[in-house]
Amino acid sequence: GKRKQRFPDFVGKERARETHNAPHTQAMQSFMKSFGRTASKNNEGGLDSLEALQTSIDLIESQEKSFDHEYAVHRREERNNHSLYESNIKTDESQGRLMAATDCLQKKQGRGFLGLCRRLSIDRRRRSSASRRPSSPLSALVNAYVEPSVFARGGSSCLPHPEKADKGGEDAYIMCTAPDGTMITAVLDGVGGWAAVGVDSGMYSRALAERIGIEFDAWVGRQTMMKSRKMPARAFMQESQRPLLTILERAFEHVDDLGIPGTCTACLSLLLPCGKLHVLNLGDSGLRVIRNSRIVFATVEQQVSFNYPRQIGTGSVDIPADGDYAIVDVQTGDLIVTGSDGVWDNVWEHEYLALIRDSRNLEYQTSLDLLAGKIADTAQMRGRDPNYLSPFASNALRAGLTNCLGGKLDDTTVVVQKVWASVASA
C-alpha cells in the first residue's frame, strides 16, 4: 500500500515548536518592559538602565541556549521515530516476502511453515559445518548421520487373509519419521503355523512393531545427545554401525520379557538424511530399491527349508543378529518397496514394475498409498487364482513339489517410499 508521509502529525509538530518558543517570547516581553521603564527615568538613572539592559540580554541568551538544546532534543527524537518507522516498514516487507515464499512452498511441496523454518535452520548449520574439515573418524561418522540430504514420503496398504480378517490378520508394519527426516519402516509377518495351537501370532507381530517405534524414538534421542556430547563416543560408534540391529534387539528383548507367544519374520529399513539406507531382513519378507524402473537392490529370502522361513520369537533359535544387514546408497527419485511374503509369493518382478511405471504423481502420499494398494490388490488377486503360475509355485517346483500350482493367498502388507532431495541440499 501507499506509504505514510514522513511526519504524520504535522499539527502536533507545530504545537511542539510553539511550546519551545514560549521561553524566548517571555524573555523578549520582559526585556521590553524593563527597557521602557528605564527610558522613562531621568539621566541620573542611566547606569542602572545599562545594568538592567545587560541583565536582560544575558537572560535572553540563556533562554535561547535552553531553547536550542530542547529543540535539538526534539529533532533527535523525531529522527529516531522516523528511523523506527522506516525499520517497521522494511520488517513488514520482509515478513510479506517470507509469507509469500511459504505459501509457494506449501503449494509445491505440501510442507508447512514450521517445516520451512526447520529446513532454513538446517541449511544454516550445513553452511557453517561445511567449512570445517572433520577432525577425526568419529566426526565424519557423526556428520554422515546429521547432514541433511534426502528424505522420503511413504504410503502403505495392509490386507489380511480373508479368513483372518475378523482379527486383523497376522501382519504388522510401522512407518515413523524423525524431525531431521530419518525414517524407519518395519514389516513383520506373524507365522500362521501358531494358529494350529490356538495362538494368534498377529499379537506378537503387532507388539513387536509398536516396540520398534519406541526404540526408534529412543535411538533418535541418543543421536541428539551425541550431538550435544552427552553420550560417550564409543557407545555411539557401536550403535551407528548397525542401528537397526540395536533397535530390533532391544524391541525383541522387551516383547520376550512380556511373555507374548508367537513368532514372526522381520524386514526393517532406516533411511538417513545423508542418503544411506540401512536394511535388516530376517525371513521371507523383503525389500526392493527401484531406480528408473530397474531393481538396484533386493533382499534375499532366509529359509530353513521351503516355506519354512527364519523367524524370531517364542521357541525359535533365530535371533535378530541372524538377519542379513546391508547399507545401500539411494538417490532422489528412488522407490523403496517393502512387503511381506504375501507380495513376493504372488507378484512377479515385471508385474509390480509395470504397476510402478503406470503410476502418476508419486510426489503425493495419496498416490503412494494408491500404488501400495494396487500392488497388494494384485497380490491377493493372484493368490486366489488356482491355475496361476506364481513365484511361490515356481519355487515349489524347484524344491521338488508338484502339487503347488496357483497363488498363495496370504496376509499382504506393502510399504512404498519415494526418496526426495531436501530443500537444504537442493
Side-chain angles (χ1 to χ4, degrees):
K2 186 176 180 181
R3 288 191 180 182
K4 296 181 180 180
Q5 57 184 353
R6 181 173 181 179
F7 301 103
D9 191 3
F10 184 79
V11 176
K13 179 175 179 294
E14 289 300 319
R15 290 176 180 173
R17 185 182 295 275
E18 291 175 2
T19 301
H20 286 290
N21 285 339
H24 182 268
T25 303
Q26 293 174 1
M28 289 296 297
Q29 291 175 354
S30 176
F31 167 72
M32 293 303 297
K33 290 179 181 180
S34 176
F35 185 76
R37 287 195 302 269
T38 303
S40 63
K41 291 182 180 181
N42 296 329
N43 291 334
E44 296 176 356
L47 183 59
D48 293 336
S49 29
L50 288 175
E51 291 177 353
L53 177 62
Q54 184 63 40
T55 302
S56 299
I57 292 173
D58 293 341
L59 178 62
I60 291 172
E61 289 179 350
S62 64
Q63 294 290 345
E64 286 182 345
K65 290 180 180 179
S66 176
F67 166 75
D68 291 340
H69 174 71
E70 293 180 1
Y71 187 72
V73 172
H74 175 69
R75 291 288 296 167
R76 190 181 304 114
E77 291 177 352
E78 284 184 341
R79 287 194 298 270
N80 292 338
N81 292 335
H82 179 68
S83 299
L84 180 61
Y85 174 72
E86 293 289 339
S87 176
N88 290 337
I89 291 177
K90 293 180 180 179
T91 301
D92 293 340
E93 292 176 351
S94 300
Q95 290 179 349
R97 287 193 297 268
L98 180 60
M99 293 302 297
T102 303
D103 293 339
C104 179
L105 189 63
Q106 288 175 342
K107 292 178 181 179
K108 290 184 177 180
Q109 297 187 359
R111 309 286 286 184
F113 178 72
L114 293 178
L116 172 65
C117 294
R118 183 171 62 250
R119 289 192 297 275
L120 292 178
S121 176
I122 291 174
D123 189 34
R124 286 195 295 271
R125 293 199 298 270
R126 290 185 72 248
R127 287 197 298 269
S128 62
S129 63
S131 60
R132 300 193 298 268
R133 186 180 300 275
S135 57
S136 67
L138 176 61
S139 300
L141 184 59
V142 172
N143 290 335
Y145 273 82
V146 300
E147 279 292 318
S149 175
V150 299
F151 68 98
R153 295 192 182 100
S156 61
S157 178
C158 186
L159 302 179
H161 189 289
E163 298 178 0
K164 306 173 186 177
D166 57 337
K167 58 182 181 180
E170 296 167 339
D171 283 2
Y173 76 96
I174 188 171
M175 183 168 48
C176 298
T177 305
D180 66 346
T182 303
M183 188 174 190
I184 188 172
T185 63
V187 173
L188 310 169
D189 181 5
V191 176
W194 282 93
V197 293
V199 173
D200 180 11
S201 61
M203 295 181 62
Y204 182 88
S205 61
R206 286 188 288 271
L208 186 59
E210 181 180 0
R211 192 64 195 182
I212 287 174
I214 295 173
E215 294 297 337
F216 170 68
D217 291 339
W219 180 82
V220 172
R222 290 193 293 274
Q223 308 311 301
T224 304
M225 293 177 62
M226 180 57 203
K227 294 175 192 176
S228 60
R229 301 188 181 279
K230 294 181 181 179
M231 179 179 177
R234 180 177 299 177
F236 178 80
M237 290 286 286
Q238 293 173 351
E239 283 200 6
S240 59
Q241 292 175 357
R242 293 191 172 187
L244 283 179
L245 184 57
T246 300
I247 293 172
L248 183 57
E249 283 179 339
R250 295 190 177 192
F252 168 70
E253 291 172 359
H254 177 82
V255 176
D256 187 59
D257 291 340
L258 294 177
I260 300 176
T263 56
C264 70
T265 65
C267 185
L268 289 75
S269 68
L270 182 71
L271 178 62
L272 301 176
C274 63
K276 299 290 186 181
L277 179 69
H278 289 242
V279 181
L280 174 60
N281 183 60
L282 189 146
D284 56 2
S285 296
L287 178 145
R288 310 287 188 269
V289 177
I290 301 169
R291 182 179 304 151
N292 298 325
S293 299
R294 294 180 54 200
I295 297 176
V296 296
F297 173 80
T299 57
V300 179
E301 289 186 356
Q302 287 188 326
Q303 292 193 351
V304 178
S305 60
F306 177 73
N307 203 28
Y308 178 21
R310 287 186 176 273
Q311 52 201 271
I312 53 175
T314 307
S316 175
V317 297
D318 298 319
I319 58 175
D322 292 329
D324 293 330
Y325 204 102
I327 302 176
V328 185
D329 292 319
V330 295
Q331 302 176 5
T332 302
D334 286 357
L335 281 177
I336 305 169
V337 181
T338 310
S340 60
D341 65 331
V343 178
W344 316 119
D345 284 343
N346 293 291
V347 184
W348 290 98
E349 176 183 314
H350 68 273
E351 290 183 297
Y352 60 77
L353 290 179
L355 292 173
I356 292 172
R357 284 193 298 268
D358 294 340
S359 299
R360 297 290 183 271
N361 301 322
L362 292 180
E363 62 271 20
Y364 302 108
Q365 180 178 349
T366 53
S367 300
L368 295 171
D369 285 330
L370 288 174
L371 176 57
K374 289 179 181 179
I375 296 175
D377 289 338
T378 302
Q380 291 221 334
M381 179 185 67
R382 298 300 191 193
R384 292 186 179 94
D385 187 352
N387 299 316
Y388 174 63
L389 182 58
S390 62
F392 178 79
S394 178
N395 292 333
L397 291 173
R398 281 197 294 268
L401 303 176
T402 59
N403 58 347
C404 293
L405 184 62
K408 181 191 175 187
L409 187 59
D410 198 356
D411 298 326
T412 306
T413 301
V414 184
V415 176
V416 179
Q417 302 163 266
K418 186 167 185 179
V419 181
W420 295 91
S422 64
V423 173
S425 64

